[in-house]
Amino acid sequence: MGRGRGRRCRRDRAAEHRRRPGSGLDPTWTAATTRLVRAGAGLLGYVDLAFGARPTEQVRAELGRWAGYPVRGVFFDQAPTSPYSVGPVAVAVRAARRIGFDTLLVNPGRPTDSIYRGLGAVLCTYEGPWEQYRHGTPEGVRPGDTHLVHSVPLDQIAACHELMRGRGARFGLAVHEASIHGAPAVVPVSV
């Protein structure tokens, strides 16, 4: 457990196993995720929604496979933002809740239509470079949302985390890499 400004901080991890958890349980992956949980990490599975174009059956099957690992929730990446595309996202969120996942993050990467706020999941409403983030966030980003910031100089990662806390981000990820995708999947969580 880390500490930040007198508030407790947890470190959760988004588990990405070749982007998908495979067709069955991998004993090596199970052992590794179990060790992380025993060390105090809360794990999140990764599911790509393909902007709402992925077949529902595939998403449900992938959620079922993640349920076999010690993950506490799911990071739904590449979510659509249009109110006309909320259906597949709502189905995925409901399916994850039925399985028992308690932490659900939906990542459209920018502010969405307000209908998404009714899904009961944490929205990622900022995904972009440090240079933009340090000057502010777009209209529609609210306290309690997730912020994903890339291209952060190594000596400014702590400052980025502090700015996230100051802006009320519930979850945040700051990486040195030029993209969030392919970066180490560590998500600091302010509580």
Side-chain angles (χ1 to χ4, degrees):
M1 299 254 181
R3 294 222 178 255
R5 251 198 204 178
R7 296 189 316 194
R8 291 176 59 123
C9 293
R10 293 190 319 249
R11 293 209 179 269
D12 284 6
R13 284 157 176 69
E16 251 188 289
H17 184 50
R18 289 187 215 119
R19 290 265 185 216
R20 304 257 182 330
S23 59
L25 291 179
D26 177 335
T28 304
W29 188 248
T30 301
T33 55
T34 300
R35 278 195 305 273
L36 285 169
V37 169
R38 286 185 184 145
L43 303 179
L44 303 175
Y46 176 94
V47 175
D48 185 337
L49 295 177
F51 302 104
R54 202 159 165 225
T56 302
E57 302 78 34
Q58 285 181 12
V59 172
R60 284 186 175 144
E62 192 167 335
L63 288 168
R65 288 189 298 273
W66 277 120
Y69 292 102
V71 298
R72 60 180 284 181
V74 178
F75 179 82
F76 292 107
D77 201 7
Q78 299 196 53
T81 58
S82 166
Y84 304 106
S85 301
V86 73
V89 181
V91 168
V93 167
R94 278 195 308 270
R97 288 261 183 249
R98 271 191 231 111
I99 288 170
F101 293 122
D102 66 359
T103 302
L104 303 177
L105 282 73
V106 174
N107 180 26
R110 61 190 176 110
T112 62
D113 188 272
S114 61
I115 195 169
Y116 284 79
R117 299 244 176 233
L119 292 174
V122 178
L123 296 179
C124 175
T125 55
Y126 183 85
E127 181 176 342
W130 169 238
E131 193 56 39
Q132 269 182 345
Y133 187 74
R134 38 183 253 163
H135 295 294
T137 55
E139 186 177 326
V141 174
R142 296 183 188 171
D145 289 349
T146 299
H147 302 180
L148 305 178
V149 184
H150 61 77
S151 306
V152 182
L154 290 174
D155 64 344
Q156 294 181 32
I157 295 281
C160 184
H161 286 157
E162 194 60 34
L163 191 54
M164 288 175 183
R165 279 190 284 280
R167 291 185 177 156
R170 181 167 175 197
F171 293 83
L173 173 65
V175 297
H176 177 69
E177 289 80 359
S179 170
I180 296 299
H181 300 280
V186 178
V187 184
V189 181
S190 297
V191 180

